[in-house]
Amino acid sequence: MSHKLVTDFPSDLEVTMTRTFDAPRELVFAVHTRAEHLKHWWGRGNPLDIEIDFRVGGRYRYVEHTPDGGSHAFRGEFREIVPNERIVQTFEYEPMAGHILEETLVFEERDGTTVVTGTSRFADKGDRDGMVASGMEAGAAESYAALDRYLKTLA
């Protein structure tokens, strides 16, 4: 079954993206939290360098390597973790240091599928609009399509 990314703008400071996956919640949570899984889908499926200390107060840094030879670095800190249910973390694109958003990922199991809802909360409307204009939705859709392909290999 094909699932589409649904994007919403609940306020001037937020973007919500929701996507359904044909996999159990525990597996979808695991592929969001472990380097051995993240490297297969995060960053649109491009090669990825990953440092992750998945615990409250732990940090992560991902560097995506694009086909044109470029690289994009992202970093953040884990603020809250409820296993298989919720992750709250900061997110910062390194070239735009100081523009930090807070992302909440919620994992819900529904009829054998898992619905992931990510809510990104920005410091101001300009940061939100800038991130949206930079291709946030397309990048998330490509990454989640790569995640769909990867989950099929784990079934």
Side-chain angles (χ1 to χ4, degrees), residues 7 22 24 27 29 33 41 58 76 119 125 146 149-150:
T7 304
D22 294 319
L27 179 59
F29 187 86
T33 62
W41 69 271
T119 302
K125 186 178 185 306
R149 291 188 299 273
Y150 178 61

Side-chain angles (χ1 to χ4, degrees), residues 103-117:
E103 180 178 50
T104 301
L105 294 171
V106 175
F107 301 80
E108 297 176 275
E109 195 149 348
R110 290 189 198 156
D111 301 321
T113 67
T114 301
V115 178
V116 178
T117 302

Side-chain angles (χ1 to χ4, degrees), residues 123-139:
D124 59 52
K125 186 178 185 306
D127 277 3
R128 185 202 71 174
D129 293 350
M131 183 71 87
V132 170
S134 77
M136 172 187 196
E137 185 175 16

Side-chain angles (χ1 to χ4, degrees), residues 5-71:
L5 181 70
V6 177
T7 304
D8 191 24
F9 302 91
S11 77
D12 284 349
L13 300 178
E14 295 174 307
V15 176
T16 299
M17 291 189 274
T18 304
R19 179 69 152 66
T20 301
F21 297 94
D22 294 319
R25 181 169 69 167
E26 291 76 15
L27 179 59
V28 176
F29 187 86
V31 298
H32 277 79
T33 62
R34 297 185 192 154
E36 67 266 24
H37 295 305
L38 286 161
K39 69 181 181 182
H40 292 282
W41 69 271
W42 205 95
R44 302 173 288 176
N46 288 321
L48 200 64
D49 297 329
I50 299 174
E51 300 168 29
I52 185 169
D53 179 10
F54 187 66
R55 62 180 176 83
V56 173
R59 297 184 176 276
Y60 69 89
R61 184 171 187 262
Y62 308 148
V63 181
E64 173 191 1
H65 301 282
T66 57
D68 63 6
S71 64

